[in-house]
Every structure is written in C-alpha cells, then in structure tokens.
C-alpha cells in the first residue's frame, strides 16, 4: 500500500500515516483493531509534531481496513481527552457478519476477487473460528430470535434500494437456530468485528463519512446499509458508487 498512500498524499496535499498493524493468524483478532486504535490515538495527540492540524484528521481504509476504520471511529466517539476525528473514509468495507444473503451477496457470489465463500472463510480464519460453520452461517442460524429482530432494524434487504435488486434477489429461508454455533461465533457480532451492529447512541456521534461501493462486490450492500444508518442519524455522507467497479478496484 505504500505506493497507493504516496499517490494519495501527493494528490491531496496531505500527510499520510499508514498503520502497519499485526496480522492474523500469528496475531489473533482483535490485535489488528487494538493496533489501529493505539496508532490513531497517538497521532491525534502528536499531530502538531508532524505539521498537522489535529482538527483535520481523517481515518481511512479499504475492505477489512474499512472495517477497522469504522470500528476505530466508533471506539473514539466518547473520548473527551482527544480531538474529534474530522471524517472517516470507508472504501468497500466489510461491516457485518449477520446476513450473507443480501442482494449483493446473491448477485456477486461468483465475482472475483472476493467470492462469497472466500469472504466468509477469510472472516472465520481472521477470528480463528472453525470452518465447519461455513454453510450454516449464511442462513442466520447463528443468530437467536431476539437478536434477529434487533439486527433486522439495521441489516435487511428491505433497506436496500430497489434498483440494487434489479440483477436478481430472492430471500432464502433461514435455518433453525444453533446454540453451539452462536456461542462460538458470538465475538463476530461485536461492533469491533461488525461495525454495522453498533448501538444507535454510538452511530449518532460518528464523524462525517465518505463511502465507496462497487456494483460487482459482495460487500456493496454493507456500504449501502451503513450509509443509511449514518444518514438516519443526521450524519453527512458523501457516497460514490462505481457502476462497473469490483472489490479491490482501488
């Protein structure tokens, strides 16, 4: 990413800090989040040493980096000892592991590079979880009924605009709830892993956002749903949708 960051720094006339966070599986989740929070807090406190205005700091990430960006922004909303983040940039982010049957997952399940099965496999490996749950996790069977009702306020095909269902969408039946799977995968429902599941009280305090989505990307609808959540709370969102885009296009 060094070349990408250098390019963006030149084009935007900005100071860039790229966080070299520790990687799984040698360093299990949530080490990556903890590293990003630590680095962000340090830079917020020392920004002026780098000639940076602390009130103009933006955090940014793509794909799983978008997950980390959203999680860090949420983690800092109640910090009164730090400057407020100016904005967050989420580039085709992964934001939830509740519903892998959204329209974008159905339409783009076989589109390289992020195939549907690969997405779930990477998520389970990142969290150091057993791959035997690969099939069941796609049918809501890892979510108890009370949480299904709660999460469907935020994660549902009902909240996806109709034009994004034009290439086809058919709701799939859910499987019976599996207690063992829920207990095993419960950490994946944390807002650190699934920022789309953060409480309203947190989302309402988030900074302005730029969200980029791609039409041919299983994660497209994660971005659309987060855009809606932010806007529902009055957070300004600049949205860019690449009609011919795919995951990894940056």
């Amino acid at each position: 990413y060094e070349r990408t960051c250098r390019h963006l720094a030149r084009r935007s006339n900005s100071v860039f800090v790229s966080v070299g966070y520790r990687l799984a599986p040698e360093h299990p989740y949530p080490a990556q989040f903890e590293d990003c929070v630590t680095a962000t807090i340090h830079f917020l406190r020392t920004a002026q040493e780098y000639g940076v205005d602390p009130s103009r700091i933006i955090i940014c990430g793509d794909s799983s980096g978008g997950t980390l960006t959203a999680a860090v922004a949420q983690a800092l909303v109640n910090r009164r000892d730090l400057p407020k983040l100016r904005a967050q940039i989420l580039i085709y982010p992964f934001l939830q592991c509740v519903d892998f049957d959204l329209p974008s997952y159905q339409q783009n399940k076989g589109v390289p590079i992020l195939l549907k099965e690969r997405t779930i496999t990477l998520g389970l490996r990142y969290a150091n979880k057993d791959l035997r749950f690969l099939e069941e996790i796609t049918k809501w069977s890892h979510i108890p009924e009370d949480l299904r009702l709660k999460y469907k306020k935020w994660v549902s095909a009902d909240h996806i605009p109709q034009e994004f269902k034009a290439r086809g969408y058919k709701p799939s039946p859910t499987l019976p709830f599996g207690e063992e799977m829920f207990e095993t995968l419960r950490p994946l429902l944390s807002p650190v892993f699934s920022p789309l599941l953060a409480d309203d009280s947190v989302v309402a305090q988030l900074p302005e956002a730029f969200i980029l989505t791609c039409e041919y990307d299983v994660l497209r609808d994660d971005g659309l749903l987060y855009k809606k959540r932010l806007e529902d709370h009055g957070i300004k969102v600049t949205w860019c949708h690449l009609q011919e885009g795919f995951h990894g296009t940056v």
Side-chain angles (χ1 to χ4, degrees), residues 99-107 109 116 138-139 157 162 164-174:
D99 190 346
F100 294 103
D101 201 45
L102 292 166
S104 61
Y105 271 103
Q106 289 191 14
Q107 296 162 5
K109 63 182 179 181
K116 176 178 176 176
T138 66
K139 306 293 185 184
Q162 199 61 37
F164 292 103
K165 300 174 185 176
R167 290 196 289 123
Y169 170 66
K170 185 178 180 181
S172 300
T174 56

Side-chain angles (χ1 to χ4, degrees), residues 29 121 123-133 183-188:
Y29 163 84
T121 299
L124 290 171
R125 287 198 183 282
Y126 174 46
N128 202 25
K129 299 303 179 184
D130 198 322
L131 293 184
R132 66 193 170 95
F133 296 124
E183 291 302 329
T184 302
L185 301 182
R186 188 196 293 261
L188 278 61

Side-chain angles (χ1 to χ4, degrees), residues 103-177:
S104 61
Y105 271 103
Q106 289 191 14
Q107 296 162 5
N108 302 310
K109 63 182 179 181
V111 176
I113 55 173
L114 199 61
L115 313 178
K116 176 178 176 176
E117 184 173 318
R118 180 177 293 169
T119 305
I120 302 170
T121 299
L122 289 172
L124 290 171
R125 287 198 183 282
Y126 174 46
N128 202 25
K129 299 303 179 184
D130 198 322
L131 293 184
R132 66 193 170 95
F133 296 124
L134 189 62
E135 178 62 31
E136 288 88 344
I137 199 175
T138 66
K139 306 293 185 184
W140 282 79
S141 54
H142 60 304
I143 311 289
E145 186 61 32
D146 59 330
L147 288 182
R148 288 186 192 187
L149 293 173
K150 176 182 178 180
Y151 294 154
K152 283 196 172 184
K153 295 185 299 182
W154 309 322
V155 186
S156 170
D158 294 340
H159 305 318
I160 302 297
Q162 199 61 37
E163 63 262 32
F164 292 103
K165 300 174 185 176
R167 290 196 289 123
Y169 170 66
K170 185 178 180 181
S172 300
T174 56
L175 294 176
F177 170 61

Side-chain angles (χ1 to χ4, degrees), residues 14-241:
S14 303
V15 173
F16 259 66
V17 177
S18 182
V19 182
Y21 56 81
R22 291 169 292 170
L23 302 178
E26 293 82 2
H27 302 281
Y29 163 84
Q32 299 73 25
F33 166 74
E34 292 165 353
D35 288 354
C36 288
V37 169
T38 300
T40 304
I41 290 172
H42 175 73
F43 191 70
L44 284 166
R45 286 176 170 159
T46 60
Q48 289 177 318
E49 297 177 19
Y50 301 92
V52 172
D53 180 347
S55 69
R56 299 183 67 188
I57 294 174
I58 299 169
I59 56 175
C60 171
D62 78 309
S63 195
S64 57
T67 318
L68 292 166
T69 299
V72 168
Q74 292 178 3
L76 298 181
V77 294
N78 290 316
R79 293 291 296 262
R80 301 290 176 253
D81 58 324
L82 298 168
K84 289 289 186 184
L85 291 171
R86 172 65 183 85
Q88 54 181 323
I89 296 175
L90 311 178
I91 300 172
Y92 35 75
F94 172 94
L95 297 172
Q96 58 86 28
C97 65
V98 169
D99 190 346
F100 294 103
D101 201 45
L102 292 166
S104 61
Y105 271 103
Q106 289 191 14
Q107 296 162 5
N108 302 310
K109 63 182 179 181
V111 176
I113 55 173
L114 199 61
L115 313 178
K116 176 178 176 176
E117 184 173 318
R118 180 177 293 169
T119 305
I120 302 170
T121 299
L122 289 172
L124 290 171
R125 287 198 183 282
Y126 174 46
N128 202 25
K129 299 303 179 184
D130 198 322
L131 293 184
R132 66 193 170 95
F133 296 124
L134 189 62
E135 178 62 31
E136 288 88 344
I137 199 175
T138 66
K139 306 293 185 184
W140 282 79
S141 54
H142 60 304
I143 311 289
E145 186 61 32
D146 59 330
L147 288 182
R148 288 186 192 187
L149 293 173
K150 176 182 178 180
Y151 294 154
K152 283 196 172 184
K153 295 185 299 182
W154 309 322
V155 186
S156 170
D158 294 340
H159 305 318
I160 302 297
Q162 199 61 37
E163 63 262 32
F164 292 103
K165 300 174 185 176
R167 290 196 289 123
Y169 170 66
K170 185 178 180 181
S172 300
T174 56
L175 294 176
F177 170 61
E179 181 71 39
E180 180 198 1
M181 189 158 92
F182 170 61
E183 291 302 329
T184 302
L185 301 182
R186 188 196 293 261
L188 278 61
L189 303 178
S190 157
V192 171
F193 199 96
S194 296
L196 195 48
L197 306 183
D199 289 339
D200 287 337
S201 59
V202 171
V203 175
Q205 300 181 71
L206 287 170
E208 179 180 347
F210 173 93
I211 298 176
L212 184 140
T213 55
C214 294
E215 179 62 28
Y216 298 99
D217 181 8
V218 291
L219 301 183
R220 179 196 70 200
D221 293 350
D222 282 25
L224 295 178
L225 292 171
Y226 205 51
K227 171 181 179 288
K228 181 181 187 304
R229 278 209 76 190
L230 292 170
E231 290 177 337
D232 285 349
H233 286 280
I235 309 298
K236 182 182 177 183
V237 177
T238 302
W239 173 51
C240 174
H241 182 67

